[in-house]
């Protein structure tokens, strides 16, 4: 049994429909977005999963990776503000947020990001001194991230991180920096030693001042006690108490003899008076004590109306 022309046309039509169906089904993997173009113009974006397009009028344009990607920034030489030449390399991380903008707003997305990052590294780091480059790497990374992300925003991408991996100054400059560091450390050590010496001298001076103050206070207390004793004796003399006069004179007399006898410079002491004079004075002190503290009654009170003792004096 043969096929007629109509049957053959039907078979061909069915075959074409099956081919169109297969061509119109698009499976987008996770992490990717596909753009769809109709007669060369962008119409929509296919998200991950099963999608159907019109294969006669539409076609898949760009297949954009929506995952975060890393871009290695090659080493380049930079002249700093203080005319130091250093080699710098880095790394940039970016993520496509809008597939249509990333596909149609810029040609060669990775090359554009790479050149944008390199030029901004030269701009940012070239405006700083070498010491700032070596000590403020976090600040440099933050500034680069802000500048590059703002410039790449119209492309539908997000710059997530820009990191400076290495900064390589010339060998002679590294040696000079090492000598400078050693000189700075020696300077700090000398300053600390001088500060310690200054502090010790201050503490020693304060100690001497405190000791002098205590000595002056002790002398003042001693002088006050001596003045008080003199005042008491003076009041007793003013009242006509001859015993107090004899006791005061004998005490000073004995203290003077003790100072002369305890001198370490003299082995022999020449006395311009008789030794019996001291004995007589001591006898006078004893008589004063007996007259004052010996009473008639059992209570030991002094006798009333007794004759005051007389100090015995001898001719020198």
């Amino acid at each position: 049994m043969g096929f007629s022309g109509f049957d053959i046309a039907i078979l061909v039509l069915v075959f074409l429909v099956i081919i169109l169906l297969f061509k119109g089904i698009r499976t987008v993997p996770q992490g990717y977005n596909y753009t769809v173009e109709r007669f060369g113009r962008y119409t929509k974006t296919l998200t991950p999963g099963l999608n159907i397009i019109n294969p006669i009028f539409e076609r898949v344009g760009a297949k954009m990776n929506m995952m975060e990607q890393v871009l290695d920034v090659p080493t380049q030489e930079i002249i700093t503000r203080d005319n130091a030449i250093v080699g710098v390399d880095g790394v940039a991380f970016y993520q496509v947020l809008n597939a249509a903008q990333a596909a149609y707003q810029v040609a060669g997305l990775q090359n554009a990001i790479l050149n944008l990052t390199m030029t901004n590294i030269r701009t940012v780091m070239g405006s700083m001194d070498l010491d700032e480059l070596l000590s403020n790497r976090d600040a440099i990374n933050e500034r680069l991230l802000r500048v590059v992300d703002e410039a790449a925003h119209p492309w539908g991408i997000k710059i997530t991180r820009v990191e400076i991996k290495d900064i390589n100054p010339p060998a002679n400059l590294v040696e000079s920096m090492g000598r400078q560091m050693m000189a700075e450390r020696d300077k700090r050590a000398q300053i600390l030693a001088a500060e310690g010496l200054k502090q010790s001298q201050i503490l020693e001076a304060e100690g001497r001042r405190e000791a002098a103050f205590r000595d002056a206070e002790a002398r003042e207390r001693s002088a006050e006690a001596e003045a008080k004793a003199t005042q008491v004796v003076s009041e007793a003399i003013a009242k006509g108490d001859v015993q107090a006069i004899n006791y005061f004179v004998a005490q000073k007399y004995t203290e003077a003899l003790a100072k002369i006898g305890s001198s370490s410079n003299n082995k022999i002491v020449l006395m311009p008076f008789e030794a019996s004079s001291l004995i007589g004075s001591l006898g006078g002190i004893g008589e004063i004590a007996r007259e004052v503290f010996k009473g008639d009654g059992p209570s030991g009170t002094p006798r009333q109306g007794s004759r005051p003792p007389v100090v015995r004096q001898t001719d020198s």
Side-chain angles (χ1 to χ4, degrees):
M1 180 179 177
F3 292 98
S4 63
F6 180 76
D7 294 334
I8 294 173
I10 294 297
L11 291 175
V12 172
L13 182 61
V14 170
F15 181 73
L16 290 176
V17 170
I18 293 174
I19 292 176
L20 290 176
L21 287 176
F22 274 104
K23 284 185 137 333
I25 296 175
R26 288 290 183 270
T27 301
V28 180
Q30 184 65 38
Y32 284 83
N33 280 357
Y34 292 175
T35 61
V36 177
E37 300 173 357
R38 179 179 297 172
F39 301 114
R41 182 178 180 181
Y42 168 77
T43 57
K44 62 181 178 179
T45 300
L46 303 181
T47 58
L50 185 63
N51 298 271
I52 297 177
I53 63 173
N54 186 349
I56 299 176
F57 305 107
E58 297 177 342
R59 70 180 183 88
V60 174
K63 299 179 179 181
M64 302 304 301
N65 187 344
M66 306 300 290
M67 295 177 287
E68 186 173 3
Q69 303 177 65
V70 59
L71 187 63
D72 188 34
V73 180
T75 302
Q76 58 179 331
E77 289 188 347
I78 296 175
I79 301 177
T80 63
R81 187 169 58 185
D82 52 353
N83 296 324
I85 300 177
V86 296
V88 179
D89 60 353
V91 61
F93 295 83
Y94 71 96
Q95 185 177 13
V96 177
L97 301 180
N98 191 309
Q101 289 181 340
Y104 302 112
Q105 293 293 333
V106 60
L109 179 62
Q110 287 194 349
N111 187 45
I113 298 174
L114 178 62
N115 284 276
L116 179 63
T117 304
M118 292 180 67
T119 54
N120 279 279
I121 287 176
R122 286 195 297 268
T123 301
V124 172
M125 301 184 70
S127 63
M128 305 173 69
D129 294 332
L130 179 60
D131 293 338
E132 293 179 307
L133 295 183
L134 299 177
S135 59
N136 297 322
R137 188 170 297 189
D138 291 338
I140 295 173
N141 293 336
E142 189 273 334
R143 185 176 173 185
L144 282 173
L145 175 61
R146 185 177 66 253
V147 173
V148 176
D149 182 57
E150 184 178 355
H153 181 71
W155 302 340
I157 63 174
K158 172 67 177 177
I159 305 297
T160 57
R161 286 188 298 273
V162 177
E163 301 286 342
I164 299 299
K165 292 195 298 185
D166 201 5
I167 300 176
N168 299 315
N172 57 350
L173 187 58
V174 173
E175 183 180 356
S176 176
M177 291 172 60
R179 291 195 301 267
Q180 181 181 1
M181 181 186 66
M182 292 298 299
E184 185 67 24
R185 290 182 181 273
D186 292 340
K187 176 183 175 182
R188 283 191 221 166
Q190 293 176 0
I191 292 175
L192 289 176
E195 288 290 338
L197 179 60
K198 174 184 175 182
Q199 191 66 23
S200 65
Q201 290 176 349
I202 291 175
L203 293 176
E204 184 179 357
E206 290 181 353
R208 290 196 302 268
R209 184 183 66 178
E210 183 69 18
F213 176 77
R214 296 296 178 85
D215 290 342
E217 186 177 7
R219 289 195 300 270
E220 182 181 0
R221 297 288 179 83
S222 177
E224 289 178 358
E226 185 70 21
K228 184 65 176 176
T230 304
Q231 181 182 1
V232 172
V233 173
S234 299
E235 291 177 356
I237 293 173
K239 293 178 181 179
D241 192 351
V242 182
Q243 295 176 359
I245 299 174
N246 294 335
Y247 178 77
F248 183 73
V249 173
Q251 182 183 12
K252 296 298 181 180
Y253 189 75
T254 306
E255 290 176 358
L257 289 177
K259 290 181 179 179
I260 294 174
S262 62
S263 177
S264 60
N265 297 327
N266 298 323
K267 300 299 183 180
I268 299 175
V269 178
L270 300 178
M271 308 295 290
F273 42 77
E274 297 178 357
S276 60
S277 176
L278 176 59
I279 298 173
S281 298
L282 294 177
I285 295 172
E287 186 176 350
I288 292 171
R290 285 194 300 272
E291 290 293 336
V292 173
F293 298 104
K294 184 176 180 183
D296 293 338
S299 61
T301 57
R303 293 175 297 180
Q304 299 294 331
S306 61
R307 182 174 57 86
V310 179
V311 178
R312 299 177 185 178
Q313 299 180 356
T314 59
D315 297 330
S316 55

